[in-house]
Amino acid sequence: MRAVKLVGPGTLQLAEVDVPVPGPGEVRIKIAGAGLCHSDLHVLEMGEAWPFFGGTVGHEGAGWVDALGSEVAGLAEGDAVIVNLVWGCGHCRPCTEGRDNACRVNGSRNLFPTTPGLGPDGAMAEYMLVPARQLEQLGAIDPVIAGPLADAALTPMHAINSARDRLTPGSTAVLIGIGGLGHLGLQIMKATTAARVIALDTDEAKLAVAREHGADLVLPSDSSAAQRILDDTGGYGVDVVLDFVGAQPTVDLATAVVAPEGLIRFVGLGGGRFPFAADADSVSLPWGVNAQRSYGGTRADLLEVIALAQQGKLVVETVRYPLADFQQAFDDLAAGKVLGRAILVP
Ligand SMILES: [Zn+2]
Ligand SMILES: [Zn+2]
């Protein structure tokens, strides 16, 4: 079978490899579609600093059950399934508390928990092996476009759930970056909260996507954006900021518009920084602000995402590429040309 492998620092290759055989507790999935993520680009940009080489990339996979290993129950050949993003151990204290994206057995203080495509073989291939308990049934959702639910929808869901008690009627939220994650985050906000949503992007086509999906106010993400948002909120700022980009201009924007006691969730990995000072005169943040880095999501977040998609309230906008055209897809993503999520179809 064909698989897109990270063969060396910053280097992807379409390889011909054996179709994997499921062992005890494992399931072979025939991949229907695999989403491309900015974190895949991040891995390439990290070069030699990335710790895992040789594996198949792709952490947004969905498809059909193709073969069952021994000791697998509750799944049948042909079932449409999605691959869970974060493979927690299921038994440690964070996992049993429902915080499997902070698993202390399959992850460590400095390394995220096991994530397929970012270490173990992932979804950019014709087939993939998955531990049976890391699969969820999709029901009637088309697996060709479902892969991004595993990350591009899960990750915003997790960030929104962590801010949910502040997204009350009368609140305002800012979403920065209406790309793969942002266009799904916007739909989750509109479907599950009463917050007024301001959507920002630098690209007019992505702002049009934001309008289509019900943003209450759409603004170009430029040097005037912070003042426009402050003006819009009477100078007070916004309750919640979700930064799906994380680059310096968006981190600056997030810290410039957050209200006292507001929440910032940094989801994008754009390398932006902000100063923090434990003093009374700090100009970097208003009093009481809570800022958080957000990794992936939990199994409960995934079930919520699947439920929303089954209800037709979460629609993944996709641009599809044949698996063999993976390089074009990566190039288009890097150039900011993808509206919604790029999907590789084997
Ligand atoms: Zn990702
Ligand atoms: Zn665990």
Side-chain angles (χ1 to χ4, degrees), residues 76-102:
E77 279 181 36
D79 283 356
V81 290
I82 186 167
V83 181
N84 186 29
L85 178 72
V86 182
W87 291 1
C89 75
H91 301 291
C92 71
R93 187 172 56 85
C95 279
T96 54
E97 289 173 352
R99 297 184 293 111
D100 34 296
N101 62 333

Side-chain angles (χ1 to χ4, degrees), residues 37 39 59-60 151 341:
C37 181
S39 41
H59 52 271
E60 292 188 342
D151 176 14
R341 203 62 155 172

Side-chain angles (χ1 to χ4, degrees), residues 153-173 184-195 197 239-242 262-265 290 292 300-305 308 314:
L154 173 95
T155 299
M157 177 66 89
H158 185 70
I160 290 166
N161 279 340
S162 79
R164 192 164 290 286
D165 62 340
R166 306 299 301 280
L167 296 166
T168 50
S171 68
T172 301
L184 294 168
L186 171 59
Q187 294 176 61
I188 293 168
M189 287 288 261
K190 295 307 295 181
T192 68
T193 83
V197 180
D239 302 277
V240 174
V241 183
L242 300 181
L263 313 184
I264 306 176
R265 298 294 177 253
N290 166 319
Q292 199 173 81
D301 297 324
L302 180 61
L303 293 180
E304 291 183 5
V305 160
L308 272 188
L314 195 49

Side-chain angles (χ1 to χ4, degrees), residues 171-332:
S171 68
T172 301
V174 159
L175 270 59
I176 309 172
I178 309 302
L181 274 71
H183 88 288
L184 294 168
L186 171 59
Q187 294 176 61
I188 293 168
M189 287 288 261
K190 295 307 295 181
T192 68
T193 83
R196 184 164 170 273
V197 180
I198 304 175
L200 294 101
D201 203 288
T202 52
D203 180 11
E204 183 49 46
K206 290 176 185 167
L207 293 178
V209 171
R211 279 187 206 96
E212 271 170 45
H213 288 293
D216 297 285
L217 177 63
V218 166
L219 294 174
S221 190
D222 58 20
S223 57
S224 69
Q227 192 57 51
R228 291 177 74 171
I229 292 167
L230 290 174
D231 290 347
D232 181 77
T233 55
Y236 186 70
V238 300
D239 302 277
V240 174
V241 183
L242 300 181
D243 181 357
F244 293 114
V245 182
Q248 195 59 52
T250 65
V251 171
D252 290 343
L253 178 62
T255 55
V257 302
V258 68
E261 304 233 318
L263 313 184
I264 306 176
R265 298 294 177 253
F266 292 112
V267 179
L269 304 175
R273 289 156 187 248
F274 69 92
F276 181 85
D279 63 22
D281 309 314
S282 175
V283 292
S284 68
L285 290 172
W287 287 108
V289 167
N290 166 319
Q292 199 173 81
R293 303 209 301 162
S294 199
Y295 184 75
T298 68
R299 200 57 177 263
D301 297 324
L302 180 61
L303 293 180
E304 291 183 5
V305 160
I306 293 169
L308 272 188
Q310 286 173 338
Q311 292 164 15
K313 294 175 181 167
L314 195 49
V315 177
V316 185
E317 308 277 358
T318 61
V319 183
R320 302 181 200 188
Y321 300 81
L323 186 66
D325 292 346
F326 73 93
Q327 193 59 55
Q328 187 64 51
F330 275 85
D331 291 348
D332 288 351

Side-chain angles (χ1 to χ4, degrees), residues 38 41 45 329-338:
H38 269 279
L41 295 175
E45 286 157 8
F330 275 85
D331 291 348
D332 288 351
L333 180 64
K337 286 185 191 165
V338 177

